[in-house]
């Protein structure tokens, strides 16, 4: 059974919004930093955003700053990515991940991965 499961992806027009969720069944969710990555066809997996275990620090790739907001609710074992002002170049499969390394800004910093959810932004 998957330990991280993403949901909330879909098809939206440019300028629209989506909220992605990542439900975790980790032994101690609050003990992990959490992050979002995305991968478009023919491209490498790209870091998008991360949040530390206590939500003190957040990290974003430059291309999403001001548009995306990462958050988490440790009581619900859930992490979120609010995506506003979506652009066609945001189209990708989005993955959530959990890890303990700091700073959690690269794929090698994460130990657990979800199955991915498709986000498609049309013109």
């Amino acid at each position: 059974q998957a330990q991280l499961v993403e949901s909330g992806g879909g098809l939206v027009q440019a300028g629209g919004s989506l909220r992605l969720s990542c439900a975790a069944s980790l032994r101690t969710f609050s003990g992990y930093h959490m992050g979002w990555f995305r991968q478009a066809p023919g491209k490498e997996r790209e870091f998008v955003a991360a949040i530390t275990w206590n939500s003190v620090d957040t990290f974003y790739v430059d291309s999403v700053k001001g548009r995306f907001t990462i958050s988490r609710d440790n009581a619900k074992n859930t992490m979120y990515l609010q995506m506003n002002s979506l652009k066609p170049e945001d189209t990708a499969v989005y993955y959530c991940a959990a890890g303990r390394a700091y700073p959690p800004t690269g794929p090698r910093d994460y130990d657990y991965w979800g199955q991915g959810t498709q986000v498609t932004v049309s013109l």
Side-chain angles (χ1 to χ4, degrees):
Q1 188 176 352
Q3 294 171 285
L4 302 175
V5 179
E6 303 94 334
S7 62
L11 174 64
V12 297
Q13 290 187 326
S17 298
L18 285 173
R19 190 180 76 155
L20 305 183
S21 298
C22 175
S25 59
L26 299 167
R27 206 179 66 181
T28 51
F29 176 75
S30 61
Y32 291 88
H33 309 311
M34 300 293 296
W36 289 98
F37 291 77
R38 65 188 181 187
Q39 189 164 26
K43 295 186 177 181
E44 293 187 39
R45 189 166 296 190
E46 175 192 32
F47 170 77
V48 177
I51 186 167
T52 54
W53 69 272
N54 55 4
S55 298
V56 168
D57 296 326
T58 57
F59 308 84
Y60 298 94
V61 67
D62 286 346
S63 61
V64 310
K65 288 180 179 177
R67 300 188 298 120
F68 292 10
T69 303
I70 190 170
S71 62
R72 66 190 293 166
D73 187 338
N74 287 351
K76 296 181 178 179
N77 285 8
T78 304
M79 187 255 294
Y80 306 95
L81 185 67
Q82 178 66 47
M83 305 186 294
N84 299 325
S85 302
L86 282 161
K87 304 174 180 179
E89 50 262 46
D90 296 318
T91 295
V93 176
Y94 283 70
Y95 300 89
C96 68
R100 294 190 183 95
Y102 188 89
T105 53
R108 284 176 137 75
D109 300 322
Y110 292 87
D111 304 309
Y112 303 99
W113 295 83
Q115 84 288 352
T117 186
Q118 178 71 48
V119 172
T120 303
V121 184
S122 64
L123 292 172

